Amino acid sequence: MNPLERYAPLVDDEEAFFEACDRPLPSVVRVNGIKTTVERARSALDAGDVGYEATDWHPGILKLDERGPGTTWPYFHGWLHGQEEVSALPALALDPQPGEVIWDACAAPGSKTTQLADLMDDTGTLIGNDNNLGRLSALRHNAERLGVSNLVVTNQDARNYSLKPFGEDTDDPEAIDAFDRALVDAPCSCEGTIRKNPDALDRWTMNHVHSVAGIQKGILRRAVQATREGGTVVYSTCTFAPEENEAVLDHVLGEEDCQMVEWDAPDGFETALGVTEWDGDEYDPSVELAHRVYPHHNDTGGFFCAKLEVTA
């Protein structure tokens, strides 16, 4: 059985959903505002006879006619970064502001991290963490190529993340005791990447779904704990499983001082509501405020994104 068949009751058009999952994913790049403008990047692609089309919902997200953006000089010089279209959503939902302290809990290889730096005008403090030391080299490489200078890289288990290295509970006036905003783009079963990685479901099991859900709950709880009152936490995955999405939110809403926040997906980008019941389980009604992205709606990968506010 195709694991994706279990989600047929959730989608509005089963046939379109499965057909989209079987198609290759378009090649997409994000314009890096730290080094250039959308206009200059487009002009460079035009000069190089690289065909592209701007997405309907974001002028700086470009779909290329051909695959392999890394072969263009604008990419080499950090004007462009290859990033799946739908993965630009979490940073936009988090809405980081220049000068703030931001935590990216699971940062490598750095697409969302460098997008956060761009939105912050490369100011403030952006802490990019990953527990996989090997993947941090990709994060550092991408940050350097894209000209990011406000990034601090750490290698910790996000479930037990410590602010002690940043002077927590000291008299240091520059100490960091809490984050203004945090992004948890959590490790997951990666069902939504099937268009990019056709073998993504080869080793899929329900045991793995439940196992990774436990990790997700721990990371999201720590993000809420480490973010100041009134601060924002965004939770995202590239999977369809409610066990890894709404169930994780439901758990954290019950255990930590936070609440779901309504946010609008960009105009022209279609999403579905979060589900409030699944496989005999009922979730907090507010998880409906989350956004589900199905491949057939925007010709993207599958995704899930939710926004929370820390209340105490």
Side-chain angles (χ1 to χ4, degrees):
M1 172 184 167
N2 181 346
L4 298 184
E5 292 180 8
R6 69 193 296 258
Y7 308 120
L10 299 180
V11 299
D12 56 343
D13 187 330
E14 289 183 40
E15 183 177 358
F17 170 71
F18 289 113
E19 286 180 354
C21 288
D22 286 337
R23 292 196 302 269
L25 195 65
S27 180
V28 176
V29 294
R30 171 178 56 83
V31 176
N32 173 32
I34 295 174
K35 283 199 168 184
T36 191
T37 64
V38 171
E39 292 73 20
R40 289 180 71 196
R42 290 187 182 186
S43 295
L45 292 175
D46 290 338
D49 293 324
V50 178
Y52 65 88
E53 177 185 2
T55 58
D56 294 335
W57 62 279
H58 194 298
I61 305 292
L62 311 177
K63 292 185 178 181
L64 304 185
D65 292 349
E66 300 179 1
R67 308 191 70 81
T71 61
T72 66
W73 76 259
Y75 184 93
F76 180 80
H77 287 287
W79 288 21
L80 303 173
H81 182 68
Q83 181 171 348
E84 188 177 345
E85 180 178 350
V86 70
S87 76
L89 280 184
L92 297 177
L94 190 66
D95 192 26
Q97 300 300 303
E100 289 186 328
V101 177
I102 309 295
W103 185 44
D104 189 349
C106 311
S111 291
K112 300 175 187 67
T113 315
T114 54
Q115 184 185 3
L116 291 171
D118 188 352
L119 293 172
M120 297 167 70
D121 294 337
D122 198 30
T123 65
T125 303
L126 173 59
I127 301 171
N129 177 73
D130 207 279
N131 72 336
N132 187 321
L133 187 60
R135 283 167 55 89
L136 286 178
S137 61
L139 172 61
R140 292 190 181 98
H141 170 76
N142 285 322
E144 182 178 351
R145 182 176 60 83
L146 298 175
V148 174
S149 64
N150 69 339
L151 176 65
V152 178
V153 176
T154 62
N155 176 219
Q156 295 189 41
D157 183 336
R159 293 171 292 182
N160 306 300
Y161 196 83
S162 174
L163 284 166
K164 295 295 184 183
F166 298 98
E168 182 185 29
D169 297 329
T170 70
D171 294 330
D172 187 342
E174 296 186 2
I176 296 174
D177 294 308
F179 305 120
D180 294 306
R181 304 173 199 253
L183 171 61
V184 178
D185 184 55
C188 67
S189 58
C190 298
E191 298 163 340
T193 69
I194 185 67
R195 300 183 64 186
K196 180 173 62 175
N197 304 308
D199 59 350
L201 302 180
D202 288 355
R203 295 184 297 276
W204 185 96
T205 66
M206 276 305 304
N207 284 338
H208 177 60
V209 169
H210 290 302
S211 174
V212 76
I215 296 172
Q216 294 159 344
K217 291 172 183 176
I219 298 174
L220 185 56
R221 287 190 64 181
R222 183 58 187 140
V224 172
Q225 295 165 0
T227 301
R228 65 170 174 79
E229 182 177 356
T232 299
V233 176
V234 166
Y235 177 72
S236 62
T237 72
C238 53
T239 191
F240 304 112
E243 294 90 347
E244 300 179 57
N245 294 328
E246 290 88 352
V248 172
L249 293 174
D250 178 77
H251 172 80
V252 174
L253 287 168
E255 296 293 327
E256 303 295 338
D257 294 320
C258 61
Q259 62 186 11
M260 292 288 298
V261 175
E262 184 176 3
W263 63 282
D264 295 325
D267 290 341
F269 195 90
E270 183 177 353
T271 65
L273 301 175
V275 300
T276 55
E277 55 182 69
W278 173 254
D279 199 25
D281 292 328
E282 295 186 1
Y283 307 131
D284 188 298
S286 67
V287 303
E288 189 177 63
L289 296 176
H291 291 252
R292 287 182 152 264
V293 180
Y294 296 114
H296 61 293
H297 285 160
N298 309 281
D299 194 22
T300 67
F303 212 72
F304 180 86
C305 191
K307 187 171 184 174
L308 302 103
E309 179 185 358
V310 178
T311 56

